[in-house]
Amino acid sequence: MTPTLAGRLETRIVLSFFVALPVLVFAGMANIIFIMLAVGVALDFVYNYLQYKRWDGDWPLVFSFIAGVTEGIILWLIIDIRIPIYVLILVLTLTAQVLLGVFFPYRRFKGGRIL
Amino acid sequence: MAKVREVEYLSIGGGMGSFCWVDTLRIHGVSFKDICVISPNKKPYRQLKLYCDAIGLTKNQRLRSDSGSRPDNFWGFPGYGLSEALDELKNKKFTKAAKLLLQLFFEPFIFGYYSPAAGRVYKALEREAKRIDWEKSLIIGHANNLTKFPDGRFKITYSRDNSIIARVVHLSLGHGKLRKIKSQKSKVKNAYELDNEFLNKIKRKGGTVMVIGRGTAAQKIVERLLDFKKIKVASLHREVESPKDFRGVKQKRFLSWRLQQFNWPRAAFGGGLMHESDSLWSLPSATPDKNWIRKVKNAIKDGRYEITKRPIKANFTIDCSGFGEAARTHEFYSKLIKKYNLPLTPNGSIRTGDAFEIEALCSYKTRVFISGALSGFSGPADSFFGAQFASFKTLENLNVKKMDFIESFEAWCRWLTNKKI
Ligand SMILES: Cc1cc2nc3c(=O)[nH]c(=O)nc-3n(C[C@H](O)[C@H](O)[C@H](O)COP(=O)(O)OP(=O)(O)OC[C@H]3O[C@@H](n4cnc5c(N)ncnc54)[C@H](O)[C@@H]3O)c2cc1C
C-alpha cells in the first residue's frame, strides 16, 4: 500500500488518537499528544516530498521505521519524551498500520485514506 | 421456446479480472445464485498459467507483483510474503522464514522486492475459488455477442445458440491477438506460443537467436536461452528513449533494458500516482534481478550476447513484443465496438468512465463494465491489483453496500479460516 499525503495525514491522526493516546494516558503524559501530532504532520509533508523522488513513488516499511525513529529523536530533543514509552508507541503504531487493512479494506485503493 | 435464463450479475471471461470481480461481489454479500460467469475455462488462472508456462515462468518461479497484490484476498493482508514465511515456519525451515521476514522488512533494499512464486498464486486462487463457490456460478462456454434491449438489460449469446439475460455485465476477456512480425528467413515464433519442440530444435541446431522485445517475456527467454550451449543471443531493441519521466525522476537502465520492479511505478497501484500517466511508465520493462544481470554480463564477456538496434540475420527469432493493445484485436470486443460505435482511447482500448463502465452501453439501472487487459482505464489495469481496483470501483458505482469495519473484520476472519461465505 502506497500512501498519498491525504492518506498519511488521516492515518496519522487516527493512529495518534487510537494507539498513541491510550499509551500516553497510561503513562500520565497525555498532554504531549498535540506536540507529537504537530511534529508528525509537519514531517509528513517532508516524507511526501521525498517519496515522489523515488522512481516507484512508494514508501517501504523500513522508511516508516526510520521515520518513526527520527520523530522519536526530535521529540526526545524538544520535550525529553521517555524513550521506553516512545518505543512502545512506535511498535504498536507500526503494527496497527499493517493491520489497518483488515478493518478498512478500501484504504489500499485510495492511497491509504480511511474516510 | 424455452425461457431464457436471467441473472443480475454476469461476468464474461472467467480469468483473473472476472475472478476478482466475482470475489468482491461475493464478499459483499451477493449470492452465487445471482452471479454467472461465462468462460471456456474452469480455473480462473488457466489462461495466465498458459502464458506463464510458455515463457518459462513455471510454478516455482517468481512473478512480478508485490506481496500485497493478492487476487485471492480482497484485503491484501496477510500478503503472500507473510504467508510464505508462516508456511516455512510450519515446515520448521527457520532460516528461510527469517530471510523472508527480513526481506519484507527491508524491501526493496538488501534482498530486493518480494514477489510470490506463480504456484503459490495458483494454489491460493484454487482455495478462494472453492470458498466462494466459483464453479457454481460458472457456465463453460464462449460468448459471441452482446445486445442491449430497449429496457436497458443485456442479452448475451454464447457457445452455439444459448443465451442469457443480465442487468449488470462485466467483461474481462484478456488479451487481444498476439502480434505477428513479418518473418525473415529464420524460424520465427511468438514467446507465448513457445513449445519444447521449438526450444529443442534451437538447442540441437545452435546458431544465433534474435529476441524481440524488452518486457518480462523477453527477459525470461533471454535467461533461458543463455543456459543453452552453442547459442548466441541478440536482443533487438530499436529505440532508446530518455530515462526521465515527467517528474524528472530517472528510470534505471541496464544497457538498453528499462529496469523497474513492477509493470508501472508502484505508486500507480492505488497510491499517489494512480491518476497520473507517463508513456515511459507503461513501456515494457524488465525486473532489476541481480542474478539475471550477472548472467547477461558474463554472456557479453563470452561473446554470447549482444543488443542490436536493427534486425540481424538469425537462425531463429523469438518475438516477445506481446499482444496487440487495441481492443479491436479481440473478436468479441471488435464486434461490440462496431455494433455500438463505442468510443476508443488513443491506444485503441474501449473508453470507460471512472468506474470502468462503458458509458455508451449503460442506462439508469443497467451497467456494462470492462476490466483486466484491454480495458481503457489508465494505470495498471492489466494486473492483479488492477483487477481488484476495478472491482472496488464497480462496487461503488453499483451502490452495493460497503462493509463497515466490523463487517470487514468478520469477513476477513472467514477468509483467514477458509469458511464459506
Ligand atoms: C506472462 C504474464 C505474467 C504476468 N504476471 C503478472 C504478475 O506477476 N502480477 C500481476 O499483477 N499481473 C501479471 N500479469 C498480468 C495479469 O495476469 C493480467 O492482467 C490478468 O490475467 C488479466 O486478466 P483478464 O481477466 O483480463 O485476462 P485473463 O486472465 O487472460 O482471462 C481472460 C479470459 O477470457 C476468456 N475469453 C476470451 N474470449 C472469450 C469469449 N469470447 N467468451 C468467453 N470467454 C472468453 C479467456 O479464455 C480467459 O479465460 C501477467 C500477465 C502475463 C501474460
Side-chain angles (χ1 to χ4, degrees), chain B residues 160-387:
Chain B
R160 274 236 170 127
D161 46 10
N162 300 309
S163 46
I164 186 163
I165 292 171
R167 200 181 65 82
V168 179
V169 175
H170 169 252
L171 306 171
S172 195
L173 301 172
H175 298 86
K177 281 211 177 85
L178 289 173
R179 282 200 188 106
K180 293 267 186 240
I181 53 158
K182 285 193 190 92
S183 138
Q184 300 112 13
K185 274 182 198 149
S186 58
K187 300 257 179 286
V188 184
K189 198 119 186 160
N190 193 295
Y192 292 110
E193 294 171 332
L194 273 187
D195 46 29
N196 282 337
E197 195 188 326
F198 190 75
L199 288 170
N200 285 337
K201 199 163 25 170
I202 296 180
K203 232 187 218 170
R204 236 183 12 252
K205 295 209 165 158
T208 306
V209 186
M210 180 165 69
V211 180
I212 305 175
R214 293 191 236 191
T216 320
Q219 182 177 24
K220 289 274 165 211
I221 301 285
V222 166
E223 180 167 27
R224 251 173 129 181
L225 291 172
L226 289 177
D227 285 338
F228 297 174
K229 294 185 184 88
K230 295 197 300 189
I231 281 171
K232 272 180 83 172
V233 182
S235 281
L236 176 63
H237 293 179
R238 287 177 213 264
E239 81 280 16
V240 181
E241 66 295 299
S242 152
K244 284 193 181 165
D245 66 5
F246 73 89
R247 301 171 294 169
V249 184
K250 235 177 170 176
Q251 187 182 42
K252 274 194 195 138
R253 289 282 190 275
F254 165 60
L255 310 170
S256 50
W257 289 90
R258 310 177 186 105
L259 297 187
Q260 82 190 6
Q261 176 61 33
F262 309 107
N263 287 12
W264 284 61
R266 201 177 187 200
F269 297 81
L273 300 179
M274 73 178 134
H275 300 299
E276 309 280 355
S277 188
D278 189 291
S279 57
L280 190 57
W281 294 355
S282 57
L283 286 174
S285 56
T287 56
D289 175 350
K290 283 186 197 140
N291 291 334
W292 175 79
I293 292 176
R294 199 176 316 121
K295 205 167 179 177
V296 172
K297 277 186 178 163
N298 286 340
I300 295 174
K301 252 190 244 154
D302 301 342
R304 294 186 55 225
Y305 181 78
E306 63 168 331
I307 290 187
T308 160
K309 284 191 171 173
R310 285 191 192 79
I312 53 162
K313 265 195 189 152
N315 305 82
F316 299 93
T317 298
I318 300 179
D319 182 8
C320 306
S321 58
F323 306 89
E325 270 177 28
R328 277 184 208 284
T329 59
H330 193 291
E331 199 190 339
F332 185 91
Y333 291 145
S334 162
K335 277 194 245 170
L336 198 64
I337 293 167
K338 249 190 241 151
K339 191 163 163 186
Y340 291 103
N341 202 11
L342 299 180
L344 302 177
T345 64
N347 65 359
S349 339
I350 298 175
R351 192 177 285 284
T352 66
D354 281 352
F356 292 76
E357 77 281 23
I358 304 178
E359 283 161 333
L361 291 174
C362 296
S363 62
Y364 175 56
K365 279 191 165 169
T366 65
R367 294 280 181 280
V368 177
F369 299 108
I370 174 168
S371 72
L374 293 179
S375 68
F377 201 80
S378 71
D382 183 15
S383 67
F384 301 160
F385 179 88

Side-chain angles (χ1 to χ4, degrees), chain A residues 1-4 51-63 65 94 98-99 101-112, chain B residues 28 68 73-75 77 105 107-109 113 245 247 249-251 260 265-267 270-272 385 388-389 392 402-403 405 408-409 412:
Chain A
M1 217 265 331
T2 305
T4 56
Q51 182 178 333
Y52 292 103
K53 292 274 160 215
R54 290 171 52 70
W55 174 260
D56 272 306
D58 62 345
W59 194 252
L61 184 60
V62 64
F63 283 16
F65 180 75
L94 284 179
V98 175
L99 291 177
V102 170
F103 298 94
F104 302 99
Y106 314 112
R107 245 185 111 227
R108 65 195 190 112
F109 306 118
K110 304 192 290 188
Chain B
H28 285 80
N73 175 353
F74 183 73
W75 296 263
F77 178 82
F105 184 76
E107 71 172 2
F109 310 103
Y113 278 109
D245 66 5
R247 301 171 294 169
V249 184
K250 235 177 170 176
Q251 187 182 42
Q260 82 190 6
R266 201 177 187 200
F385 179 88
Q388 283 181 326
F389 180 76
F392 161 69
K402 288 208 212 142
M403 297 180 280
F405 70 96
S408 171
F409 180 63
W412 179 78

